[in-house]
């Protein structure tokens, strides 16, 4: 991978503004942010210094992946137990100390990750250093002043570089194929789980050989879809009935960059109430997109969404915010920019978020339309323009 100079420049500026000499990160998402390399099992550590250098300490079996990023230095180590990460901190101590000395960090002011956060899954199980990272830094860098850099890192993740945005757009492109393929499985008699499986399969099979791509998909139909406002979705054994709403949610990824997408289909001619729900949600989508631009606030976008739902008579039927940051995060409701009632977040070019107006009616179902949207020079750039009309979403 070529050097992402835009990302390096933003990191250097953030370090300068934060009075820091370096960042040390071990959470896979933050290693990706600093180096362009998305760790698999979570034992890698990245260092970014105020002079623009980036170094990575990666497990030996991820060396090729680490070198595909834009780090200037890639050193490797072997975690203490092959196939398990339980001894990673002990095994990393000596090579990390050598790397820190190589970068001249003695006595440095170091920001590090840790503490409460949301981490998308990069593998079936992921190692997290937790408090051990602070111990590693303390041992490796005599006289270091350590600071929690969680807020700084969240700000850096909120705005994507063109290279990072290209990966998100690619994940959206794969998801578009998956939704179209999955739609063919939606028919009376099919189960929610069958539909979800049909959507998920193409998330990996449609990827290029060089891409690490996959994701998750869920389906909730009929009355089950009214519960899709919750913090998690789940596909059940319920069989789809004619006229049911069929809410399909997907989080796809490519090389560590994630999407957050929902489409709500109707399995046959919709009842008048369902048609009204669809109309309200799609009009609210347009209202939100009209407001999204550099300089607008997240609260303004949320107000536009709610005002349109209110106009249709569904003002109390959305049970979550209009959106949140997407890209480095899959489902992180606090990720900036937040599009919520009191959100002070000011939109900037390059910020990427989901926009998810919704109507949930207990006993009937739920309709949500969730797009991935980037703030562009002249307003909203929708990265998920597929299946966005009522005609496309009503299945014969």
């Amino acid at each position: 991978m070529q050097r992402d100079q835009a990302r390096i420049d933003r990191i250097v500026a953030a370090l300068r503004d934060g009075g820091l000499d370096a960042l040390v990160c071990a959470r896979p998402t933050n290693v990706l942010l600093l180096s362009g390399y998305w760790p698999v099992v979570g034992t890698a550590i990245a260092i970014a210094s105020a002079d623009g250098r980036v170094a990575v300490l990666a497990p030996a079996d991820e060396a090729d992946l680490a070198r595909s990023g834009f780090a200037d230095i890639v050193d490797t180590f072997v975690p203490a137990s092959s196939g398990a990460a339980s001894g990673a901190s002990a095994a990393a101590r000596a090579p990390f100390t050598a790397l820190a000395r190589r970068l001249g960090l003695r006595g440095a002011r170091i920001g590090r990750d840790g503490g409460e956060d949301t981490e998308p899954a990069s593998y079936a199980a992921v190692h997290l250093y937790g408090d051990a990272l602070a111990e590693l830094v303390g041992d490796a860098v005599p006289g270091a002043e350590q600071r929690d850099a969680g807020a700084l890192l969240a700000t850096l993740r909120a705005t994507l570089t063109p290279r990072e945005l290209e990966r998100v757009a690619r994940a959206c492109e794969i998801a578009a194929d998956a939704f179209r393929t999955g739609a063919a499985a939606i028919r009376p008699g099919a189960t929610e789980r069958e539909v979800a499986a049909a959507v998920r399969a193409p998330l990996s099979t449609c990827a290029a050989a060089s891409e690490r791509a996959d994701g998750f998909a869920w389906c909730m139909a009929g009355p089950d879809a009214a519960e899709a406002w919750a913090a998690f979705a789940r596909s059940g054994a319920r069989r789809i009935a004619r006229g049911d709403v069929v809410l399909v949610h997907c989080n796809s990824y490519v090389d560590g960059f994630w999407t957050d997408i929902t489409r709500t289909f109707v399995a046959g001619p919709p009842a008048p109430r369902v048609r009204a729900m669809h109309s309200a949600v799609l009009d609210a989508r347009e209202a939100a997109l009209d407001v999204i631009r550099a300089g607008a606030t997240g609260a303004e976008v949320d107000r536009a969404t709610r005002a349109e739902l209110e106009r249709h008579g569904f003002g109390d039927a959305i049970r979550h915010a209009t959106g949140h940051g997407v890209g480095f995060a899959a489902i992180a409701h606090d990720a900036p920019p937040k599009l919520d009632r009191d959100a002070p977040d000011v939109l900037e070019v390059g910020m990427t978020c989901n926009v998810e107006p919704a109507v949930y009616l207990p006993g009937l179902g739920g309709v949500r339309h969730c797009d991935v949207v980037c703030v562009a020079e002249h307003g909203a750039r929708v990265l998920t323009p597929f299946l966005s009309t009522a005609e496309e979403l009503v299945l014969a």
Side-chain angles (χ1 to χ4, degrees):
M1 181 185 292
Q2 294 180 347
R3 188 173 177 84
D4 190 345
Q5 193 60 49
R7 175 53 65 198
I8 297 295
D9 291 345
R10 292 178 192 182
I11 292 169
V12 169
L15 287 169
R16 181 188 64 241
D17 294 344
L20 295 170
D21 300 306
L23 285 168
V24 176
C25 294
R27 289 185 181 272
T29 295
N30 291 330
V31 174
L32 174 64
L33 174 75
L34 298 189
S35 71
Y37 147 57
W38 190 37
V40 178
V41 298
T43 54
I45 304 172
I47 305 173
S49 63
D51 60 6
R53 289 180 295 169
V54 176
V56 166
L57 178 64
D61 53 3
E62 295 185 28
D64 288 347
L65 291 173
R67 294 189 180 106
S68 71
F70 53 79
D72 305 291
I73 303 169
V74 175
D75 288 347
T76 62
F77 75 114
V78 178
S81 175
S82 178
S86 58
S89 59
R93 182 163 283 105
F96 179 73
T97 298
L99 188 57
R101 288 174 179 168
R102 187 173 175 184
L103 293 173
L105 296 183
R106 185 181 183 89
R109 297 163 297 178
I110 295 175
R112 55 173 175 75
D113 62 11
E116 187 174 5
D117 209 343
T118 300
E119 184 65 33
S122 55
Y123 198 59
V126 180
H127 175 76
L128 297 175
Y129 281 92
D131 293 340
L133 182 62
E135 296 174 9
L136 280 171
V137 173
D139 291 345
V141 187
E145 176 191 335
Q146 297 190 46
R147 303 180 193 171
D148 182 346
L152 182 152
L153 291 163
T155 299
L156 282 171
R157 293 193 302 262
T159 305
L160 305 185
T161 68
R163 186 185 303 278
E164 294 161 351
L165 187 59
E166 186 274 332
R167 293 288 81 196
V168 177
R170 174 61 180 148
C172 291
E173 182 180 274
I174 291 174
D177 289 339
F179 270 96
R180 293 188 179 104
T181 299
I186 298 174
R187 62 187 183 280
T191 67
E192 294 173 356
R193 290 170 182 163
E194 288 169 345
V195 173
V199 174
R200 181 172 184 180
L203 299 179
S204 59
T205 58
C206 288
S210 61
E211 294 172 327
R212 287 170 62 192
D214 203 341
F216 302 89
W218 297 270
C219 173
M220 300 173 76
D224 289 353
E227 304 302 318
W229 57 267
F232 62 93
R234 55 187 174 189
S235 306
R238 186 184 187 282
R239 294 191 179 277
I240 295 169
R242 182 173 173 81
D244 270 354
V245 294
V246 183
L247 188 151
V248 179
H249 178 77
C250 169
N251 294 106
S252 59
Y253 67 78
V254 170
D255 299 330
F257 293 94
W258 290 79
T259 71
D260 194 9
I261 307 168
T262 307
R263 294 293 183 267
T264 305
F265 301 91
V266 185
R273 190 65 165 160
V274 171
R275 187 180 296 111
M277 294 164 69
H278 246 151
S279 178
V281 167
L282 293 177
D283 284 354
R285 170 188 186 262
E286 292 301 320
L289 295 178
D290 285 345
V291 175
I292 292 176
R293 65 188 184 283
T297 66
E300 289 173 334
V301 180
D302 187 72
R303 281 198 296 272
T305 300
R306 294 179 191 278
E308 192 62 25
L309 293 176
E310 180 70 34
R311 187 177 72 83
H312 282 267
F314 295 108
D316 296 327
I318 182 171
R319 302 186 63 179
H320 49 65
T322 294
H324 53 76
V326 175
F328 284 99
I331 304 177
H333 299 100
D334 288 331
K338 291 182 286 186
L339 313 180
D340 205 351
R341 293 179 190 270
D342 301 314
D345 303 35
V346 177
L347 302 183
E348 301 175 14
V349 172
M351 283 186 166
T352 305
C353 57
N354 68 345
V355 173
E356 51 179 340
V359 169
Y360 305 103
L361 298 181
L364 177 60
V367 173
R368 182 170 73 231
H369 195 94
C370 181
D371 285 304
V372 178
V373 177
C374 175
V375 182
E377 292 286 349
H378 303 293
R381 174 190 170 193
V382 180
L383 302 182
T384 50
F386 57 89
L387 297 173
S388 292
T389 66
E391 291 74 20
E392 294 173 296
L393 294 167
V394 174
L395 306 176

